[in-house]
Amino acid sequence: MMDLGLKKLDRYIMKKFMATFFIALILIIGIVIIFDISEKIDKFVSNEAPLKAVVFDYYLNFIPYFMNMFSPLFVFITVIFFTSRMAANSEIVAILSCGISYHRMMKPYIISAVLIALLSLSLNLWVIPRANEKRNDFESTYVNKKNQSGTKNIHYQIAPGQFVTIESFSKWNNTAYDFTLESIEDNRMLSKISAQSAVWDSTGGRWKLKNYVHRHYVDGMLADQVQAGKQLDTLISLSVDDFYRNKETVENLPYKELENLIAVQKMRGDASIQYSLIEKHQRFALPFSALILTIMGVSLSSRKKRGGIGWNMAIGIALSFSYILFLRFSQMFVYTGALPPGIALWLPNILFAIIAAVLYRIAPK
């Protein structure tokens, strides 16, 4: 059995792994921030973004987002870089010559990868959502001012037996037009409220129905009494936030809130649930890649090559970028309905895990 205690060799490799990882992280983030400033400086100035907001609301929250998004790249380049140097200095040969098996040598790599994966998972579940909220608010205010017109043909099940149909919703004045609220029980219509418009009252957290007609049904038949009026206040489990739900808003939710949102969207039959499901599976799939890419990186770079570190680095950068590109591209399978989110978002990990297993199998030879 593998000795679970950390030996001097384990600490040596882990120190190299973690130190190289965080140094590469700091250097690349610094370069990215410089390029991002040069790209957005005109918008910062033209939109009069305060310096405090630029530093603390945008860039301070941009760092964990960027760091986690490209963590597969950082991990792979780190492993390729310092393992290639160890191989070039004949350290790998010396380790294996001392009777340490190739599988045993992988122990500190796996431990380091697990630590990075846990850090990435913690950022994904709790830190980054709050950071994204401030970063997205800043971008919508000072960088990308969007013209939000509205949505059309909305159908929601807001509660068991309660259905809302809206012809169109205007984000300009938070008003739903051709509003209908139906109550159904045992496949029978109990009541139906139709209104020319429904205006969101942010103070009371309810909708004000304009020019409404409220019909009551008894045993499937229209009752004698039909209520009509100019205005009716109604409190239902539908808020104006539901109409602003998009990819950016689900990025802002901690994991528990994201799970609650998915449950509500499933009950409503909300088409925007795809954004929530993609975000959920991506938060787990991305950290897991640290293990896969670490095994792949060691397998590729542990043998001394005539071309030196440069060839290994080129392979490492190409594979890591292909992983990130594949992860982003896999989201298209969800949007087009080709694959469910659970399969599409884990497909890059499955494919690269197979590649890593093949490389690891032939590496000791």
Side-chain angles (χ1 to χ4, degrees):
M1 293 181 64
M2 180 182 291
D3 184 7
L4 297 179
L6 292 178
K7 305 298 183 182
K8 189 173 183 179
L9 174 63
D10 299 326
R11 292 192 292 270
Y12 173 73
I13 293 178
M14 290 178 64
K15 182 178 179 181
K16 277 183 171 290
F17 194 145
M18 303 304 287
T20 307
F21 174 76
F22 284 107
I23 290 174
L25 200 63
I26 293 171
L27 290 175
I28 296 177
I29 287 177
I31 294 172
V32 169
I33 289 178
I34 291 173
F35 277 101
D36 192 73
I37 291 176
S38 64
E39 179 185 353
K40 294 186 172 70
I41 186 66
D42 292 338
K43 292 184 178 179
F44 292 161
V45 174
S46 61
N47 293 323
E48 299 180 351
L51 179 60
K52 182 179 179 181
V54 172
V55 175
F56 292 100
D57 292 344
Y58 183 62
Y59 282 110
L60 193 63
N61 296 298
F62 172 83
I63 290 174
Y65 169 78
F66 177 85
M67 180 180 71
N68 198 63
M69 177 187 294
F70 291 96
S71 60
L73 172 64
F74 299 140
V75 170
F76 205 27
I77 291 178
T78 295
V79 173
I80 290 284
F81 178 74
F82 85 84
T83 305
S84 296
R85 293 199 61 179
M86 290 176 64
N89 296 332
S90 301
E91 293 181 69
I92 301 293
V93 175
I95 292 172
L96 299 177
S97 299
C98 292
I100 298 176
S101 68
Y102 193 86
H103 304 298
R104 175 59 181 83
M105 188 189 71
M106 288 295 299
K107 177 183 175 179
Y109 284 98
I110 297 300
I111 294 175
S112 300
V114 169
L115 292 176
I116 293 175
L118 291 175
L119 173 62
S120 176
L121 183 61
S122 300
L123 290 174
N124 266 338
L125 296 183
W126 297 292
V127 178
I128 292 179
R130 296 306 186 193
N132 281 341
E133 184 175 5
K134 295 181 180 180
R135 180 179 59 84
N136 289 330
D137 287 344
F138 178 90
E139 287 184 336
S140 62
T141 304
Y142 299 108
V143 180
N144 301 317
K145 292 186 175 181
K146 299 179 181 179
N147 182 20
Q148 297 178 329
S149 56
T151 52
K152 293 184 178 182
N153 298 324
I154 302 163
H155 304 273
Y156 281 151
Q157 179 180 346
I158 60 175
Q162 274 196 323
F163 299 87
V164 167
T165 303
I166 296 171
E167 179 67 25
S168 63
F169 177 78
S170 173
K171 295 180 180 179
W172 177 258
N173 55 5
N174 289 336
T175 301
Y177 296 96
D178 291 334
F179 177 94
T180 302
L181 174 63
E182 297 177 340
S183 298
I184 299 175
E185 183 178 331
D186 297 330
N187 296 322
R188 293 185 303 175
M189 181 81 71
L190 298 181
S191 67
K192 179 178 180 180
I193 302 177
S194 302
Q196 183 178 353
S197 64
V199 181
W200 175 251
D201 180 12
S202 58
T203 304
R206 62 186 67 207
W207 296 92
K208 292 183 179 295
L209 306 185
K210 307 290 186 179
N211 298 323
Y212 73 93
V213 177
H214 189 180
R215 296 178 171 88
H216 296 274
Y217 296 87
V218 179
D219 295 329
M221 301 296 291
L222 180 63
D224 295 335
Q225 185 177 8
V226 177
Q227 298 176 346
K230 292 292 185 181
Q231 179 172 307
L232 175 68
D233 289 353
T234 181
L235 182 63
I236 57 177
S237 52
L238 179 72
S239 71
V240 71
D241 294 336
D242 294 304
F243 298 101
Y244 290 88
R245 196 79 65 190
N246 53 31
K247 182 178 181 295
E248 285 74 24
T249 54
V250 297
E251 290 178 351
N252 304 342
L253 299 177
Y255 183 71
K256 186 176 180 180
E257 294 180 20
L258 182 62
E259 281 284 287
N260 293 337
L261 174 62
I262 291 174
V264 172
Q265 289 177 323
K266 284 182 179 179
M267 184 267 294
R268 291 178 176 175
D270 192 343
S272 63
I273 192 175
Q274 60 185 3
Y275 299 121
S276 305
L277 292 174
I278 288 174
E279 180 67 20
K280 173 187 174 181
H281 289 287
Q282 185 171 277
R283 291 185 185 186
F284 288 94
L286 195 63
F288 189 76
S289 67
L291 290 169
I292 299 172
L293 296 179
T294 295
I295 296 173
M296 187 183 299
V298 177
S299 303
L300 285 171
S301 59
S302 56
R303 182 177 297 180
K304 188 174 182 179
K305 293 183 177 64
R306 183 175 298 178
I309 298 178
W311 180 245
N312 287 337
M313 288 295 293
I315 296 175
I317 292 174
L319 285 174
S320 54
F321 268 116
S322 65
Y323 172 83
I324 296 173
L325 181 62
F326 191 12
L327 184 64
R328 295 296 173 184
F329 183 75
S330 64
Q331 298 181 11
M332 298 304 299
F333 296 134
V334 183
Y335 295 135
T336 58
L339 290 173
I343 296 177
L345 271 297
W346 282 91
L347 190 59
N349 280 344
I350 295 172
L351 177 61
F352 275 74
I354 295 173
I355 297 174
V358 173
L359 293 174
Y360 182 73
R361 184 177 180 83
I362 65 178
K365 303 176 183 179

